[in-house]
Amino acid sequence: MFMHIRLSTQFLKHLIAAVFFGFISLGVLADDVDEGNTAYQQQDYQAAFTAWSNAALKGDADAEYNLGQLYRLGQGVQINYLTAQSYYIKAAENNHPLAELQLGTMYYSGKLGPEQEEDAFYWLEQAAQHNNAQAQWMVGIMSYNGQGTSKNSIAAYSWLTLASEQQHPQAMLDQAKLKTGLTAKQLDLADALTTSFKQKQTALSEIQQQEKDAYYWLHQAAEKGDGHAQLMVGDMLMSGQGARQDLVAAYSWLTLASEQLEPKANIKQAELKPKLSVEQLASAEHLTTMFKQKNTVKTPTRQQKVIAKMPVSGPSVQTTLTNETRYRVQVGSFKTEQQANIALTNITKSSSKLLSEQSSIITKPDPNASKADFYRVQFGAFTDKKDANQLCQQLTNNKQACFVVKVPSQH
């Protein structure tokens, strides 16, 4: 018969020596997190503390979790369980499974005062729901014993099964013991719970992948200056949807979207700003400035006519657009002049060998057009269509979409 079991002291010691690092953070925060990881591996705990503190100021969950570990283990700082708890909670609020696991373990072990089994069960169940095998085992044992929750042998068996399927050694032993004390009906109900959990995880995984794909393409558009995409990227980073939650980067994107008069961006900014510290707001402003500097293009002169350096030789390219000019290579059309300028810069950089000697132009929308018109980015000033076609083919080979347009004589 499966006996009443308390989570063992040996296991709790094992948790303390468990994997220190969370997942490596991506994006603008990676440098600080990676720097901290490297320092920690070299046992330079003070340097790790400094690097992770910088990343934590930007809302990085891995950095928050790692700082909690330093304070819990007394590495580079004095042991302080309450400070560790505060960092774990910050990370756990961003759905960090290891932070949830450590919170549950600290509550269970009494490191935060007298044993608080309900709080322990709450956080361990959160980690278990995020498919952490150790948490699933602990929740299984607590469910069986009625610790911090109602006694439930069926739920216990289901959690132990899930942990066992992840090769958790103690869960495999406990599952086998518990099975002998359950009826066939109880086992069927437990199996149904296990199946339901797996189906939920599969559905969640598919949704997360769709969100990641959406974030990828929206981020591409946001980098090119699309205001609505910047709003969406900011919103997704704010909620951690499709990407790791990053409140600083979120605020930066929302700022850029606001400056393009995206109405919802101001609302989101007002919602997020009170959650950020002075340091975080300064970091967000720095990101915004960096983006603008990277994407700034000087406004073309001569009323958006030819502005780039012209080739010394080449009969089909001229220094001005005369009546003889007939063809250009168009690489994109955009709703705003800012988007067109950003695209001009990016395309010139990505195809510099092909375009460094070509003229460039951004045409303005026709105010008298019968339907919506756009800012168009075009290169070259060719009298021979074959030359325009040749440039377009070279750009296509360089993975840049384009097509040749015929220019009216007086344009």
Side-chain angles (χ1 to χ4, degrees):
M1 183 66 180
F2 189 70
M3 302 298 292
H4 180 91
I5 297 177
R6 296 283 296 182
L7 300 180
S8 69
T9 302
Q10 181 179 3
F11 176 72
L12 293 174
K13 289 180 180 179
H14 171 70
L15 279 180
I16 291 176
V19 178
F20 184 86
F21 300 112
F23 298 105
I24 298 300
S25 177
L26 304 177
V28 296
L29 302 180
D31 289 344
D32 284 329
V33 176
D34 287 346
E35 181 182 341
N37 293 345
T38 300
Y40 183 83
Q41 290 172 328
Q42 296 172 350
Q43 298 185 351
D44 187 349
Y45 301 132
Q46 191 58 53
F49 176 83
T50 300
W52 286 332
S53 293
N54 291 335
L57 283 174
K58 302 170 188 174
D60 184 79
D62 287 330
E64 291 164 345
Y65 166 74
N66 289 344
L67 287 171
Q69 291 288 73
L70 289 180
Y71 276 105
R72 184 174 65 83
L73 301 175
Q75 294 176 317
V77 293
Q78 289 187 344
I79 290 178
N80 189 321
Y81 294 136
L82 292 178
T83 303
Q85 176 196 26
S86 68
Y87 278 114
Y88 286 146
I89 289 176
K90 288 180 181 179
E93 288 174 347
N94 290 328
N95 299 319
H96 198 291
L98 292 177
E100 294 163 343
L101 174 66
Q102 293 294 357
L103 274 171
T105 303
M106 290 181 75
Y107 278 119
Y108 187 89
S109 64
K111 293 187 182 298
L112 298 172
E115 293 182 10
Q116 303 174 57
E117 292 182 345
E118 290 186 5
D119 290 328
F121 185 86
Y122 171 81
W123 286 112
L124 289 170
E125 188 178 37
Q126 296 301 305
Q129 291 287 353
H130 288 127
N131 212 29
N132 182 279
Q134 295 184 62
Q136 289 170 342
W137 173 73
M138 295 178 77
V139 169
I141 296 299
M142 294 181 76
S143 295
Y144 179 81
N145 292 333
Q147 296 171 270
T149 187
S150 301
K151 183 176 174 65
N152 189 331
S153 297
I154 294 171
Y157 187 81
S158 175
W159 285 118
L160 292 174
T161 299
L162 291 165
S164 297
E165 291 178 354
Q166 296 196 64
Q167 304 303 309
H168 190 286
Q170 188 60 47
M172 296 169 74
L173 294 173
D174 292 335
Q175 182 203 26
K177 293 178 183 178
L178 179 54
K179 184 175 183 179
T180 61
L182 298 179
T183 66
K185 183 177 180 179
Q186 287 175 315
L187 289 172
D188 287 342
L189 290 172
D191 288 343
L193 283 178
T194 304
T195 300
S196 176
F197 178 88
K198 292 178 180 178
Q199 290 173 342
K200 179 181 176 182
Q201 289 292 308
T202 299
L204 181 62
S205 177
E206 292 175 354
I207 291 171
Q208 289 174 339
Q209 186 57 53
Q210 291 172 1
E211 290 175 346
K212 288 179 181 178
D213 292 343
Y215 176 83
Y216 173 82
W217 292 112
L218 285 168
H219 191 269
Q220 297 296 306
E223 286 283 359
K224 294 177 181 178
D226 185 284
H228 184 68
Q230 290 171 344
L231 166 64
M232 295 297 294
V233 168
D235 193 26
M236 294 179 80
L237 287 170
M238 190 172 166
S239 63
Q241 180 185 9
R244 293 291 303 279
Q245 187 181 53
D246 185 342
L247 300 183
V248 172
Y251 193 83
S252 175
W253 283 117
L254 292 173
T255 299
L256 291 165
S258 296
E259 292 176 357
Q260 296 205 60
L261 305 181
E262 284 289 334
K264 293 183 179 179
N266 288 327
I267 298 173
K268 291 290 183 181
Q269 265 191 305
E271 178 185 340
L272 178 56
K273 188 173 182 178
K275 300 178 181 178
L276 300 178
S277 66
V278 174
E279 292 83 1
Q280 287 175 313
L281 288 171
S283 295
E285 183 178 355
H286 177 68
L287 287 178
T288 305
T289 301
M290 292 288 288
F291 178 88
K292 291 177 180 178
Q293 290 175 345
K294 182 179 70 173
N295 293 285
T296 296
V297 179
K298 293 182 179 180
T299 303
T301 58
R302 298 184 184 179
Q303 297 179 337
Q304 301 290 355
K305 297 302 180 180
V306 181
I307 60 172
K309 181 172 64 175
M310 306 305 295
V312 176
S313 60
S316 62
V317 183
Q318 304 174 17
T319 58
T320 59
L321 291 177
T322 69
N323 290 349
E324 296 180 351
T325 300
R326 289 290 182 271
Y327 303 99
R328 300 186 192 130
V329 177
Q330 183 165 310
V331 295
S333 57
F334 305 89
K335 291 183 179 179
T336 69
E337 187 173 1
Q338 182 186 23
Q339 293 171 354
N341 279 328
I342 291 171
L344 175 61
T345 298
N346 290 339
I347 294 169
T348 301
K349 288 180 180 178
S350 63
S351 301
S352 59
K353 291 183 179 180
L354 298 174
L355 299 176
S356 61
E357 298 296 328
Q358 296 293 343
S359 62
S360 62
I361 184 173
I362 297 176
T363 65
K364 292 184 177 181
D366 182 356
N368 299 318
S370 58
K371 58 182 181 179
D373 200 5
F374 302 92
Y375 292 88
R376 292 177 168 83
V377 178
Q378 300 171 349
F379 288 94
F382 302 97
T383 57
D384 190 334
K385 187 176 182 181
K386 289 182 180 180
D387 293 331
N389 285 332
Q390 182 179 9
L391 175 60
C392 188
Q393 183 59 55
Q394 291 171 329
L395 288 170
T396 301
N397 294 340
N398 199 40
K399 299 182 179 180
Q400 172 58 55
C402 61
F403 58 91
V404 174
V405 295
K406 186 174 181 180
V407 183
S409 298
Q410 297 299 325
H411 192 69

